[in-house]
Short mmCIF file of all heavy atoms in Angstrom, two decimals:
data_model
loop_
_atom_site.label_atom_id
_atom_site.label_comp_id
_atom_site.label_asym_id
_atom_site.label_seq_id
_atom_site.Cartn_x
_atom_site.Cartn_y
_atom_site.Cartn_z
N TYR A 305 5.33 4.63 -23.07
CA TYR A 305 5.20 3.34 -22.38
C TYR A 305 5.17 2.22 -23.40
O TYR A 305 4.35 2.19 -24.31
CB TYR A 305 3.91 3.32 -21.55
CG TYR A 305 3.88 4.40 -20.49
CD1 TYR A 305 3.39 5.69 -20.79
CD2 TYR A 305 4.33 4.16 -19.20
CE1 TYR A 305 3.37 6.69 -19.82
CE2 TYR A 305 4.31 5.16 -18.23
CZ TYR A 305 3.82 6.41 -18.55
OH TYR A 305 3.80 7.40 -17.60
N ILE A 306 6.10 1.28 -23.22
CA ILE A 306 6.17 0.08 -24.06
C ILE A 306 6.20 -1.12 -23.13
O ILE A 306 7.15 -1.31 -22.36
CB ILE A 306 7.42 0.09 -24.96
CG1 ILE A 306 7.34 1.24 -25.96
CG2 ILE A 306 7.56 -1.25 -25.69
CD1 ILE A 306 8.54 1.34 -26.89
N ASN A 307 5.15 -1.93 -23.19
CA ASN A 307 4.97 -3.02 -22.22
C ASN A 307 5.06 -2.44 -20.81
O ASN A 307 4.36 -1.51 -20.49
CB ASN A 307 5.99 -4.14 -22.45
CG ASN A 307 5.77 -4.83 -23.78
OD1 ASN A 307 4.70 -4.74 -24.37
ND2 ASN A 307 6.79 -5.51 -24.28
N LYS A 308 5.97 -2.93 -19.98
CA LYS A 308 6.10 -2.40 -18.63
C LYS A 308 7.24 -1.38 -18.52
O LYS A 308 7.60 -0.95 -17.43
CB LYS A 308 6.34 -3.55 -17.64
CG LYS A 308 5.17 -4.52 -17.53
CD LYS A 308 5.46 -5.60 -16.50
CE LYS A 308 4.28 -6.55 -16.39
NZ LYS A 308 4.53 -7.63 -15.38
N ASN A 309 7.77 -0.97 -19.66
CA ASN A 309 8.90 -0.05 -19.68
C ASN A 309 8.43 1.39 -19.80
O ASN A 309 7.61 1.72 -20.66
CB ASN A 309 9.83 -0.38 -20.85
CG ASN A 309 10.33 -1.81 -20.80
OD1 ASN A 309 11.12 -2.16 -19.93
ND2 ASN A 309 9.85 -2.66 -21.70
N GLU A 310 8.95 2.25 -18.92
CA GLU A 310 8.67 3.68 -18.95
C GLU A 310 9.88 4.40 -19.54
O GLU A 310 10.96 4.41 -18.95
CB GLU A 310 8.40 4.19 -17.53
CG GLU A 310 7.20 3.53 -16.87
CD GLU A 310 6.97 4.04 -15.47
OE1 GLU A 310 7.72 4.95 -15.02
OE2 GLU A 310 6.03 3.56 -14.82
N ILE A 311 9.69 4.98 -20.70
CA ILE A 311 10.79 5.59 -21.44
C ILE A 311 10.62 7.11 -21.44
O ILE A 311 9.58 7.62 -21.86
CB ILE A 311 10.82 5.04 -22.88
CG1 ILE A 311 11.08 3.53 -22.84
CG2 ILE A 311 11.88 5.76 -23.71
CD1 ILE A 311 10.86 2.83 -24.14
N PRO A 312 11.61 7.85 -20.95
CA PRO A 312 11.47 9.31 -20.86
C PRO A 312 11.32 9.97 -22.22
O PRO A 312 11.99 9.59 -23.19
CB PRO A 312 12.76 9.74 -20.17
CG PRO A 312 13.73 8.64 -20.41
CD PRO A 312 12.92 7.38 -20.46
N LEU A 313 10.43 10.95 -22.29
CA LEU A 313 10.21 11.73 -23.50
C LEU A 313 10.86 13.09 -23.30
O LEU A 313 10.40 13.91 -22.51
CB LEU A 313 8.71 11.88 -23.76
CG LEU A 313 8.27 12.70 -24.97
CD1 LEU A 313 8.87 12.14 -26.25
CD2 LEU A 313 6.75 12.72 -25.06
N GLY A 314 11.98 13.30 -23.97
CA GLY A 314 12.76 14.52 -23.77
C GLY A 314 12.11 15.74 -24.40
O GLY A 314 11.45 15.64 -25.45
N GLU A 315 12.30 16.89 -23.78
CA GLU A 315 11.72 18.13 -24.28
C GLU A 315 12.18 18.45 -25.70
O GLU A 315 11.40 18.92 -26.53
CB GLU A 315 12.08 19.28 -23.34
CG GLU A 315 11.37 19.25 -22.00
CD GLU A 315 9.87 19.42 -22.13
OE1 GLU A 315 9.43 20.14 -23.06
OE2 GLU A 315 9.13 18.84 -21.32
N VAL A 316 13.44 18.19 -25.99
CA VAL A 316 13.99 18.50 -27.31
C VAL A 316 13.33 17.67 -28.40
O VAL A 316 13.19 18.11 -29.55
CB VAL A 316 15.52 18.27 -27.31
CG1 VAL A 316 16.10 18.44 -28.72
CG2 VAL A 316 16.21 19.23 -26.35
N TYR A 317 12.89 16.45 -28.06
CA TYR A 317 12.36 15.52 -29.05
C TYR A 317 10.83 15.44 -29.03
O TYR A 317 10.24 14.79 -29.89
CB TYR A 317 12.93 14.12 -28.80
CG TYR A 317 14.43 14.07 -28.90
CD1 TYR A 317 15.23 14.29 -27.78
CD2 TYR A 317 15.07 13.83 -30.11
CE1 TYR A 317 16.61 14.26 -27.86
CE2 TYR A 317 16.45 13.81 -30.21
CZ TYR A 317 17.22 14.02 -29.08
OH TYR A 317 18.58 13.99 -29.18
N LYS A 318 10.19 16.09 -28.08
CA LYS A 318 8.74 15.93 -27.88
C LYS A 318 7.94 16.41 -29.09
O LYS A 318 7.04 15.71 -29.57
CB LYS A 318 8.30 16.68 -26.63
CG LYS A 318 6.83 16.47 -26.30
CD LYS A 318 6.42 17.29 -25.08
CE LYS A 318 7.17 16.86 -23.83
NZ LYS A 318 6.71 17.60 -22.64
N ASN A 319 8.24 17.59 -29.60
CA ASN A 319 7.48 18.13 -30.73
C ASN A 319 7.60 17.25 -31.97
O ASN A 319 6.62 17.01 -32.68
CB ASN A 319 7.94 19.55 -31.05
CG ASN A 319 7.50 20.56 -30.00
OD1 ASN A 319 6.56 20.31 -29.24
ND2 ASN A 319 8.19 21.68 -29.94
N ASP A 320 8.81 16.77 -32.23
CA ASP A 320 9.02 15.91 -33.39
C ASP A 320 8.27 14.59 -33.21
O ASP A 320 7.70 14.05 -34.17
CB ASP A 320 10.52 15.66 -33.58
CG ASP A 320 10.83 15.00 -34.92
OD1 ASP A 320 10.35 15.51 -35.95
OD2 ASP A 320 11.53 13.97 -34.92
N PHE A 321 8.28 14.05 -31.99
CA PHE A 321 7.56 12.81 -31.70
C PHE A 321 6.07 12.98 -31.96
O PHE A 321 5.43 12.15 -32.61
CB PHE A 321 7.81 12.40 -30.25
CG PHE A 321 6.92 11.28 -29.77
CD1 PHE A 321 7.18 9.97 -30.13
CD2 PHE A 321 5.82 11.54 -28.96
CE1 PHE A 321 6.36 8.93 -29.70
CE2 PHE A 321 5.00 10.53 -28.52
CZ PHE A 321 5.27 9.21 -28.89
N ILE A 322 5.51 14.07 -31.45
CA ILE A 322 4.07 14.31 -31.62
C ILE A 322 3.74 14.52 -33.10
O ILE A 322 2.73 14.00 -33.62
CB ILE A 322 3.63 15.52 -30.78
CG1 ILE A 322 3.72 15.17 -29.29
CG2 ILE A 322 2.20 15.95 -31.15
CD1 ILE A 322 3.44 16.32 -28.36
N LEU A 323 4.59 15.24 -33.81
CA LEU A 323 4.36 15.52 -35.23
C LEU A 323 4.38 14.24 -36.06
O LEU A 323 3.51 14.02 -36.92
CB LEU A 323 5.41 16.49 -35.74
CG LEU A 323 5.31 16.91 -37.22
CD1 LEU A 323 4.01 17.68 -37.46
CD2 LEU A 323 6.52 17.73 -37.64
#
Side-chain angles (χ1 to χ4, degrees):
Y305 300 87
I306 295 179
N307 295 341
K308 295 182 180 180
N309 302 290
E310 299 179 2
I311 297 168
L313 179 57
E315 289 295 328
V316 174
Y317 300 90
K318 185 182 297 184
N319 288 340
D320 191 51
F321 170 77
I322 292 174
L323 181 64

